[in-house]
Amino acid sequence: MDDVTDVRQSVGAEIQAFVGSLVSALGGRGADEHGHYMLGDDALACLKDLRRWLRIYDEKTNRLDVARCMAAANLVKGDLLQILALWDQDVSEKQLLWRTALATLELLVPLTWPLDKQDQQMTLNHHRHVPYLTEAQRSYKKAILSFEGVKILRTVVRVGLPSIALPPLERSSRDHGTIKLILYFLRNLAIISPAPGSYNSEEVYEVSRSATIEAFHYQDVFHLILAISSGIGDDFDAEDVVVLELLFHLLKGIDPEQLFLSETQLQSAKAEELQSLLRKEAGMLRTYARHAPTRHNRFGTMVWIKRDDEKFSTVSGQDALMDDSRGLAKMDQSKKWKKPGGHRGPQDVQNEVDLPVHLTAPAAKHLSAFIGEFLDSAFNPFVQHLHKAIEREAERVLFAHQSQFFFLISWFLKAEQARRRAAVAGNNRQKQPHGEESPFAFIANALTQQVFITLNRFLQKSYDMHDWQELKAGMRCYTQILLTVQDMSESAIEEDQTIADNILSRLFYEETTHDRIVAIVRYYSRQGFGYLDACTELAHVHLRVLEHYSRQNVEMQVRSRRRARKKKVPQTTSKGKEPAQNSEQAAQDASEAEEIADAQRTTRERKFDFWRSVSKFMTQGCVDTFIALARCYRDLTSEQLKRAHRFLYRVAFKHDMSVMLFRVDIIALFHKMIKGPESLDLESAEGKEWFELVRQLFKKLTRCIEKRPELAVEMLFSKINSTAYFLEHGYDIPVPTTKPRAPAELEVRPGVDLDRQIGIVVTVLLEKNQRDAVDWIKKTLSSAIDERQTWETEHSIRPAVAQEGDSAEKPKPDAPSIVVKPDTDERRKAMFKNNKLRLLMTLVGFQRLGIDDDADASWTIPSSVQSSKLLEALESIKRYEANPPELEDGRTAEDLIRRKPTSRPRREADDFDDDEGTSDDDQEFLFPGGGPTARQSDAATEPKSSGRRKRKDAGQELSDTERETRRKARQEANAKIQRRIKSDLYVHDSDEEDNEDRDKEFFAKEEERRRAQGRMAVEALDAIFREADNDEGMVTGNKKRKLAGKVEKQGSKQKRRKNVIESSDEAEDVVSLTNDVSSPEPHERDDGDETDTPITSPHQHSSFEIGAARKRVASLASLSESGGRSPSGEKFPANDEDIEDDQPMARPARTRGFVIDSDSE
């Protein structure tokens, strides 16, 4: 009666009348048929009218009045379910009943559709009807699952069997709609859940997840889901999203590890959980007993506490009687802090996905069987087809479906992991024979590179859009993928290990992946405990797997990215266009260039450094995230406590960043966890680990405060990295300074005179909107001209007024250099960075002092630059500033400026400038530095050409194609010449290598022999000349023969030492003296000299020649006696090579050894 009254008050009378009449016309229970339900004459038409009311009135007007009227009329339980119960297998052939059942299903789907409205979408009508309709949907689900006599879900599945049995190409749109209706109806039932906070166990169970799973099992719904899921992509296409939603709402909140435990394992797990709870309770009782009040607390206690400011506070209870700290703690518990209003951060909302769902034993058994069959037959095709739909952004796929997709991947990966572990623990896993598929093959499509790319994109997008619940699903998926790949790496199958190594290398290759995880952990703020648990687990697993993988792969590489520099758009004005069009085109080009520059990123590979990667987690934000997890230590599991402990231990001791933990609230939390009234159980393993960690931290804290007293103040604040580094080491982080590099030096292309070069550079500066630079140069030139003209005038007058007695000419003094001073700091930077400004300064006569990379180098106007040149430069700037130079062929002024080529010491560097100038085939005839032979080039003695032959096209600028053609021609010509060279480096014996000690010994002996030979030659010649003086004018044939014999004797001695003398360059002068006086007979010469021109006979020497030889010998003797000075006091040459031009030389000996073929060239 109350429902009817509420409907009359909230819904219009006309709507109630229409809906009520249609519901009455559907049918009812008849007295003649033993109380069975009977259809009305127009039941099918009434069902269609009711569906039309729902669609036209409720959906289009965004109201819920019709649904409220149907719920009040008990349409679902009184009529719709009764109609479905009439259709059994015996009447399945009747088309009318089938159509009636289908129309009933079309009405049930909108009535059970979820009522999840956002707060912004809620209206007054919604607030009035939604609570009532939500409770009505729970009653619908209860009636459907527990209907007596007939299995409603089986009947609904039978409605769609004719459409499912058809081949995919023969199905019509109506058939696809029927299949979707069935799936949507099952999904709606899975979404409907018990009321939160309900305590009636029977009502909760009738609409619970366990009841839903049992009904799906007994009424063959799981078989339908498996059939459609395994056939997705082949037999079914558009049904993937509906199956995704159905599985998501069916599995959310269920722990997959509990599904695959056997009865023994389940009992053991429950016993261990009970023991853990008992230990926790005992710890709580022990802690409470230490601070328990006396038995007199039943009388009540009120205590006044005197504070530091001479004020009193009232505290009730006997806790304040124990000590001051207990009284102050009692006061703190009574305080309530109201945060100021304003912008609120992320709300701490507990999502329904995080709420645990406990299943009954039958439901867990049925669900584990379904999950096992789904993994074996349907998981791979389901994931593959749904991933393709997400990638091509199909219309049926929403952004929420992506989070559900990644949640299901993580859930099924965890279920597969639990199934493997349960099989190993139960000794049911047999050794796989050779060639059998790996157990990881059933989840292979979830571990592909395409899925990883989609997951990374989803994580980044969710993080940027602050969709924390979607981001949480992505984090859990990424974490479970890492755990699965780690299990693959530990597999006994070698192929699994190889695949796991490949997957990890791809996951860790991008540095953006590491940075994204750091950012997620670092910027946690009130996103809820589920998000906190997911992000800390992700960081813990990521660091653990990354550390293990980096140790095994020392040469691991990562690719880092950085944004490319934005290229400046040249500001050119198109001829023939209006200024407005030019500005619009320039703005469009600039925006396009910015978009391209933002999209481009330069990438580089570098060797992975695990220490550097982990250091990114050593920030105050990441520490605060794990501290937020540790604050919930009373409710954490052993795994979560271990996770927080491992990270804080890494921060404090592995990376020596314990200063990050030295904050007052963190120290108070650690003390509370160990010594507080609600401390951890120190008898457990986790309690012992935390106790040792806190003890070591407190020891470090006391030592640091003694060493650096300023830490006592810094404990009040969070630390940035620079502050933490200073507190740890006592000095700031050393910042490496990089010297600025000078820009590329420019020049104007050749063929342009100086005046026009100045005009070109001025035009470029004006086009770059740098008129202030041009004005500054003009101002500097003007002041420099005045100063230089004043100096020149002064020094031109001084000679005229000089004293007449001073006739000595003095050199003309140089003008002092003028220092060019910048007017602003920006100008000083531009004088170093702006290469076009530097080019103009160089052209007008300025000179830069210092090295190229010195940013503080000064500019001056040298003394050699006269005022007239400066004046010409200033006039050129003013002229071209008003009238820019006219250029031919549509060129701009900037096109005539190029980079100045760097000078090279060798000519060959120009011919072989590129890296591809030397091919692999040419390496066989190229030789190391020093040339192919030790022979002196003939080019040194040949006269040089007066000049090059001028080309006809010397005044023309060569194109890049012509330069490349000529470069290749020169390269081929040089290659042909090099192929004909036979190097002396490759023809001598291998034992004739350079040896410094051996060479010194050899040259010392040769020097000693040369000097002995020289003394013998001088003595012999002196004796000959004395004998010749005695017999002067009376020389007979006998004396000549005697003289010839002596000379021949001396020549024989020379012959014995011929090889030694020839090897020394300094002994050639002494040998030439003996050859000038006499020489061996023609028949005593070597055979190799037969083809040479015969020397003159010793009988043909004149007295003049003998006198000249005597003078030379006398000069040599006097040189040795006077210590290197002539009788006149002049200095003689230091060696014999300096005088070889003043004496006649003997014919050089014929070259012995190998003949070099290239000598003639």
Side-chain angles (χ1 to χ4, degrees):
M1 191 67 180
D2 295 338
D3 295 343
V4 175
T5 304
D6 293 341
V7 170
R8 290 176 180 177
Q9 294 177 356
S10 58
V11 182
E14 296 181 358
I15 298 175
Q16 296 179 31
F18 278 115
V19 174
S21 61
L22 289 174
V23 172
S24 300
L26 276 177
R29 297 183 181 275
D32 297 340
E33 298 295 335
H34 306 288
H36 293 170
Y37 187 86
M38 296 182 62
L39 288 174
D41 296 337
D42 295 331
L44 182 60
C46 292
L47 290 173
K48 292 182 178 179
D49 290 342
L50 289 172
R51 185 186 61 187
R52 191 177 298 111
W53 268 98
L54 279 174
R55 181 182 298 112
I56 295 176
Y57 191 84
D58 278 5
E59 295 180 5
K60 290 189 176 181
T61 60
N62 194 21
R63 299 177 64 87
L64 300 174
D65 294 344
V66 177
R68 177 71 179 270
C69 293
M70 291 181 180
N74 196 19
L75 174 64
V76 175
K77 292 185 290 185
D79 295 283
L80 299 183
L81 298 183
Q82 298 293 338
I83 293 173
L84 289 176
L86 291 176
W87 187 45
D88 54 10
Q89 295 181 357
D90 297 336
V91 295
S92 60
E93 298 296 332
K94 294 184 179 180
Q95 186 69 16
L96 178 61
L97 287 179
W98 179 83
R99 293 175 60 188
T100 305
L102 181 60
T104 303
L105 181 61
E106 292 176 350
L107 196 56
L108 279 174
V109 170
L111 289 177
T112 58
W113 200 268
L115 299 173
D116 48 350
K117 298 282 187 181
Q118 300 293 334
D119 294 340
Q120 296 82 4
Q121 301 174 352
M122 295 286 287
T123 62
L124 180 61
N125 184 274
H126 293 154
H127 285 288
R128 183 184 296 120
H129 295 315
V130 165
Y132 182 86
L133 293 178
T134 302
E135 191 64 31
Q137 287 183 348
R138 294 192 182 98
S139 64
Y140 298 162
K141 180 178 180 179
K142 176 182 177 181
I144 292 170
L145 296 181
S146 60
F147 192 83
E148 297 180 357
V150 179
K151 298 179 179 180
I152 299 297
L153 297 181
R154 183 191 291 270
T155 304
V156 170
V157 172
R158 286 177 52 225
V159 172
L161 287 180
S163 300
I164 296 174
L166 291 175
L169 297 179
E170 297 180 7
R171 292 188 192 131
S172 61
S173 58
R174 183 180 181 85
D175 295 328
H176 289 289
T178 303
I179 298 173
K180 284 186 177 181
L181 274 176
I182 298 173
L183 294 176
Y184 276 125
F185 178 68
L186 298 175
R187 183 210 64 173
N188 295 343
L189 292 181
I191 292 177
I192 298 174
S193 59
S198 58
Y199 298 101
N200 191 339
S201 59
E202 292 185 1
E203 294 181 359
V204 170
Y205 174 75
E206 289 174 351
V207 293
S208 65
R209 195 79 58 84
S210 298
T212 306
I213 292 173
E214 292 178 7
F216 280 10
H217 171 71
Y218 289 118
Q219 301 186 33
D220 299 332
V221 175
F222 281 149
H223 294 294
L224 175 67
I225 298 174
L226 285 174
I228 294 178
S229 300
S230 59
I232 283 182
D234 296 331
D235 300 331
F236 305 95
D237 186 23
E239 293 79 9
D240 50 359
V241 174
V242 190
V243 176
L244 172 68
E245 295 181 359
L246 172 59
L247 291 175
F248 172 75
H249 293 288
L250 189 65
L251 300 177
K252 64 182 180 181
I254 298 177
D255 186 8
E257 294 181 352
Q258 301 293 330
L259 297 178
F260 295 95
L261 297 178
S262 61
E263 295 182 0
T264 305
Q265 295 172 347
L266 186 61
Q267 292 178 0
S268 177
K270 289 182 178 180
E272 185 178 355
E273 183 180 3
L274 178 60
Q275 291 178 0
S276 176
L277 292 176
L278 291 175
R279 286 195 300 268
K280 185 179 294 186
E281 183 184 11
M284 292 174 60
L285 292 177
R286 285 195 301 269
T287 304
Y288 181 74
R290 284 182 295 185
H291 308 284
T294 63
R295 63 184 180 90
H296 299 287
N297 64 346
R298 61 183 178 269
F299 300 110
T301 304
M302 181 173 292
V303 181
W304 281 0
I305 298 178
K306 186 177 182 180
R307 301 198 303 267
D308 296 337
D309 53 358
E310 300 298 332
K311 294 182 179 180
F312 292 89
S313 298
T314 304
V315 178
S316 61
Q318 289 190 349
D319 295 342
L321 296 176
M322 296 183 179
D323 52 18
D324 296 340
S325 62
R326 295 292 297 175
L328 296 175
K330 190 77 173 179
M331 291 177 57
D332 292 338
Q333 291 178 1
S334 63
K335 293 178 180 178
K336 293 182 180 180
W337 179 56
K338 294 182 180 180
K339 189 175 182 179
H343 177 69
R344 294 280 182 176
Q347 298 297 322
D348 188 358
V349 180
Q350 187 77 5
N351 193 18
E352 58 180 2
V353 180
D354 302 326
L355 295 176
V357 176
H358 300 284
L359 301 179
T360 60
K365 181 180 179 181
H366 301 326
L367 184 61
S368 64
F370 166 72
I371 294 302
E373 293 179 0
F374 187 88
L375 286 170
D376 295 339
S377 61
F379 181 76
N380 278 337
F382 175 74
V383 170
Q384 181 181 7
H385 188 268
L386 197 56
H387 176 260
K388 290 181 179 178
I390 293 174
E391 280 297 302
R392 65 173 178 265
E393 297 180 356
E395 294 182 358
R396 64 181 184 275
V397 179
L398 304 178
F399 185 72
H401 293 149
Q402 298 186 29
S403 64
Q404 296 176 2
F405 171 73
F406 291 117
F407 171 81
L408 285 182
I409 288 181
S410 64
W411 198 95
F412 278 106
L413 290 180
K414 191 173 183 179
E416 175 62 23
Q417 184 183 30
R419 184 172 70 162
R420 290 194 307 270
R421 292 178 179 177
V424 172
N427 295 326
N428 296 326
R429 182 179 180 181
Q430 300 178 357
K431 188 176 180 180
Q432 295 181 353
H434 181 70
E436 188 175 347
E437 269 191 324
S438 168
F440 297 97
F442 300 116
I443 54 174
N445 284 348
L447 303 176
T448 59
Q449 181 67 14
Q450 291 78 10
V451 174
F452 300 155
I453 295 173
T454 306
L455 176 59
N456 286 324
R457 189 188 306 120
F458 174 77
L459 287 172
Q460 188 63 44
K461 185 176 181 180
S462 301
Y463 180 78
D464 295 338
M465 300 297 294
H466 293 181
D467 295 330
W468 307 121
Q469 300 303 327
E470 285 77 7
L471 180 59
K472 179 176 64 178
M475 288 190 294
R476 294 196 182 278
C477 181
Y478 190 89
T479 303
Q480 198 58 46
I481 286 175
L482 288 178
L483 294 174
T484 304
V485 176
Q486 187 181 22
D487 291 344
M488 289 181 63
S489 63
E490 298 173 357
S491 175
I493 304 176
E494 185 178 358
E495 185 179 358
D496 290 344
Q497 298 177 6
T498 305
I499 295 174
D501 184 78
N502 188 18
I503 292 175
L504 289 178
S505 65
R506 292 181 178 182
L507 286 176
F508 298 144
Y509 179 63
E510 294 290 345
E511 193 178 18
T512 54
T513 304
H514 307 266
D515 297 338
R516 186 184 302 113
I517 296 174
V518 173
I520 290 173
V521 178
R522 184 176 182 178
Y523 297 106
Y524 163 78
S525 175
R526 298 181 60 196
Q527 283 92 350
F529 180 79
Y531 181 91
L532 176 63
D533 181 52
C535 69
T536 52
E537 184 183 11
L538 172 62
H540 175 71
V541 174
H542 173 77
L543 290 177
R544 189 182 65 185
V545 177
L546 180 60
E547 183 176 10
H548 179 71
Y549 180 75
S550 61
R551 287 178 180 176
Q552 292 183 346
N553 299 268
V554 183
E555 301 298 330
M556 176 182 172
Q557 298 287 325
V558 293
R559 181 173 64 179
S560 59
R561 296 183 178 182
R562 60 182 178 85
R563 289 189 180 274
R565 294 183 178 179
K566 294 183 179 181
K567 297 182 178 180
K568 296 182 180 179
V569 181
Q571 301 177 357
T572 57
T573 304
S574 302
K575 296 181 180 180
K577 294 184 179 181
E578 297 180 358
Q581 296 179 356
N582 292 332
S583 60
E584 293 177 0
Q585 183 67 24
Q588 183 178 0
D589 295 341
S591 61
E592 292 178 357
E594 290 179 359
E595 292 177 359
I596 294 174
D598 289 339
Q600 289 179 345
R601 286 179 172 84
T602 57
T603 61
R604 64 181 181 90
E605 286 188 355
R606 62 174 177 84
K607 186 177 179 180
F608 177 73
D609 186 4
F610 177 74
W611 189 269
R612 174 183 176 183
S613 179
V614 179
S615 298
K616 297 178 181 180
F617 287 89
M618 304 298 119
T619 58
Q620 193 68 58
C622 296
V623 172
D624 290 344
T625 301
F626 279 88
I627 290 297
L629 179 66
R631 293 185 190 279
C632 309
Y633 66 95
R634 299 296 301 171
D635 302 323
L636 297 181
T637 62
S638 60
E639 183 65 28
Q640 292 169 340
L641 282 173
K642 183 186 295 185
R643 186 191 312 161
H645 176 273
R646 295 297 185 270
F647 181 82
L648 296 179
Y649 176 81
R650 184 187 295 275
V651 172
F653 298 100
K654 285 190 175 182
H655 284 260
D656 201 17
M657 296 287 289
S658 56
V659 178
M660 291 292 182
L661 303 178
F662 295 160
R663 203 174 62 194
V664 174
D665 58 333
I666 298 177
I667 296 299
L669 173 64
F670 289 161
H671 182 268
K672 181 181 178 181
M673 293 175 64
I674 303 303
K675 299 293 184 180
E678 298 179 353
S679 61
L680 292 171
D681 183 14
L682 301 182
E683 300 297 330
S684 63
E686 296 83 8
K688 292 179 181 179
E689 290 178 352
W690 275 96
F691 177 79
E692 186 63 23
L693 174 65
V694 173
R695 189 176 68 87
Q696 296 295 334
L697 276 175
F698 274 64
K699 289 175 64 177
K700 291 192 69 173
L701 175 60
T702 54
R703 288 197 299 265
C704 288
I705 291 179
E706 292 175 357
K707 189 176 180 179
R708 306 195 207 294
E710 59 270 16
L711 179 60
V713 179
E714 292 294 337
M715 287 179 63
L716 300 174
F717 312 100
S718 298
K719 283 84 175 173
I720 59 177
N721 289 340
S722 58
T723 305
Y725 189 91
F726 175 80
L727 293 175
E728 283 285 351
H729 302 87
Y731 54 87
D732 294 331
I733 301 176
V735 180
T737 57
T738 58
K739 294 183 179 179
R741 296 182 58 185
E745 190 174 356
L746 303 179
E747 68 174 5
V748 182
R749 294 186 179 273
V752 183
D753 56 354
L754 179 61
D755 181 72
R756 193 173 179 83
Q757 289 181 16
I758 295 175
I760 291 172
V761 181
V762 169
T763 304
V764 172
L765 289 175
L766 294 178
E767 290 177 354
K768 297 291 184 180
N769 295 328
Q770 298 178 9
R771 180 177 292 276
D772 56 339
V774 179
D775 295 339
W776 171 74
I777 289 182
K778 292 192 301 182
K779 181 179 178 181
T780 305
L781 284 175
S782 300
S783 61
I785 290 170
D786 296 340
E787 183 177 351
R788 187 58 54 87
Q789 285 179 349
T790 302
W791 186 91
E792 291 175 353
T793 304
E794 179 182 357
H795 284 75
S796 62
I797 298 175
R798 282 186 179 181
V801 298
Q803 296 180 1
E804 297 180 358
D806 190 3
S807 61
E809 295 183 1
K810 296 182 179 180
K812 185 178 181 181
D814 295 332
S817 299
I818 301 174
V819 180
V820 179
K821 296 181 180 180
D823 53 350
T824 59
D825 291 339
E826 288 77 8
R827 187 83 61 226
R828 180 178 58 82
K829 295 178 181 179
M831 291 169 64
F832 177 73
K833 286 292 186 181
N834 193 342
N835 50 6
K836 297 180 178 59
L837 176 62
R838 294 176 60 166
L839 176 58
L840 180 58
M841 295 171 67
T842 305
L843 293 176
V844 298
F846 295 178
Q847 183 179 3
R848 190 173 185 271
L849 304 179
I851 60 176
D852 294 339
D853 294 335
D854 186 7
D856 298 329
S858 59
W859 286 77
T860 62
I861 301 176
S863 304
S864 58
V865 180
Q866 299 178 359
S867 60
S868 58
K869 294 184 178 181
L870 296 177
L871 183 60
E872 292 176 0
L874 179 60
E875 292 176 353
S876 299
I877 292 176
K878 292 180 179 179
R879 182 172 64 257
Y880 287 111
E881 186 178 7
N883 300 316
E886 297 182 358
L887 304 176
E888 301 176 353
D889 300 334
R891 288 187 174 185
T892 61
E894 194 171 2
D895 295 339
L896 296 179
I897 297 178
R898 67 178 185 182
R899 295 184 62 174
K900 189 175 182 179
T902 57
S903 59
R904 301 186 180 181
R906 296 182 59 187
R907 171 70 178 174
E908 289 77 3
D910 296 334
D911 297 334
F912 301 96
D913 190 19
D914 55 346
D915 295 337
E916 301 177 357
T918 304
S919 63
D920 296 338
D921 298 336
D922 298 338
Q923 294 295 333
E924 60 185 6
F925 60 83
L926 295 183
F927 307 106
T933 63
R935 179 179 177 272
Q936 187 177 2
S937 175
D938 296 335
T941 58
E942 294 179 358
K944 295 184 179 180
S945 177
S946 59
R948 295 184 179 179
R949 180 170 55 89
K950 295 184 178 180
R951 298 179 181 269
K952 295 181 180 180
D953 54 350
Q956 300 178 359
E957 185 72 19
L958 298 178
S959 63
D960 295 339
T961 306
E962 294 176 351
R963 291 196 188 94
E964 182 66 18
T965 304
R966 295 187 180 185
R967 187 191 64 79
K968 290 182 178 180
R970 291 196 306 270
Q971 180 178 348
E972 292 178 358
N974 291 332
K976 291 180 181 179
I977 296 175
Q978 294 288 343
R979 290 190 181 96
R980 293 198 297 268
I981 296 176
K982 293 183 176 60
S983 175
D984 180 61
L985 298 176
Y986 297 99
V987 297
H988 67 79
D989 294 337
S990 60
D991 57 347
E992 294 182 352
E993 301 294 338
D994 293 338
N995 190 329
E996 186 175 355
D997 296 335
R998 187 177 59 190
D999 292 342
K1000 288 182 179 179
E1001 182 180 359
F1002 171 80
F1003 288 122
K1005 292 181 179 180
E1006 288 298 313
E1007 178 69 17
E1008 189 176 340
R1009 291 175 182 175
R1010 185 190 65 81
R1011 292 179 179 177
Q1013 184 69 23
R1015 288 192 300 269
M1016 292 172 59
V1018 171
E1019 294 173 359
L1021 292 175
D1022 188 34
I1024 293 172
F1025 294 147
R1026 286 196 300 269
E1027 186 176 356
D1029 291 339
N1030 295 333
D1031 299 336
E1032 184 178 0
M1034 300 172 64
V1035 180
T1036 60
N1038 295 332
K1039 291 183 179 181
K1040 290 180 181 181
R1041 285 192 297 268
K1042 182 179 179 180
L1043 177 61
K1046 292 182 178 181
V1047 176
E1048 182 179 359
K1049 181 178 179 180
Q1050 181 66 27
S1052 63
K1053 294 180 180 180
Q1054 287 288 84
K1055 189 173 183 181
R1056 286 194 300 268
R1057 297 181 176 86
K1058 186 175 183 180
N1059 295 332
V1060 178
I1061 296 175
E1062 288 178 351
S1063 63
S1064 177
D1065 295 337
E1066 297 178 357
E1068 290 181 359
D1069 298 332
V1070 179
V1071 177
S1072 65
L1073 293 176
T1074 61
N1075 291 333
D1076 288 340
V1077 179
S1078 66
S1079 64
E1081 293 295 329
H1083 65 274
E1084 294 180 356
R1085 293 196 301 265
D1086 295 337
D1087 295 336
D1089 298 337
E1090 292 177 358
T1091 58
D1092 296 337
T1093 303
I1095 62 175
T1096 56
S1097 175
H1099 303 282
Q1100 298 175 359
H1101 286 294
S1102 62
S1103 61
F1104 175 78
E1105 294 174 351
I1106 294 175
R1110 183 183 300 145
K1111 290 181 180 180
R1112 288 193 295 269
V1113 174
S1115 64
L1116 286 173
S1118 62
L1119 176 63
S1120 60
E1121 295 175 358
S1122 59
R1125 291 189 178 273
S1126 63
S1128 61
E1130 295 179 357
K1131 180 71 176 178
F1132 279 97
N1135 50 39
D1136 297 339
E1137 292 179 355
D1138 298 334
I1139 62 173
E1140 69 178 31
D1141 294 337
D1142 299 333
Q1143 61 187 8
M1145 295 294 294
R1147 177 183 51 83
R1150 185 175 179 85
T1151 305
R1152 296 173 181 250
F1154 293 97
V1155 179
I1156 307 302
D1157 294 339
S1158 61
D1159 289 351
S1160 61
E1161 299 178 1

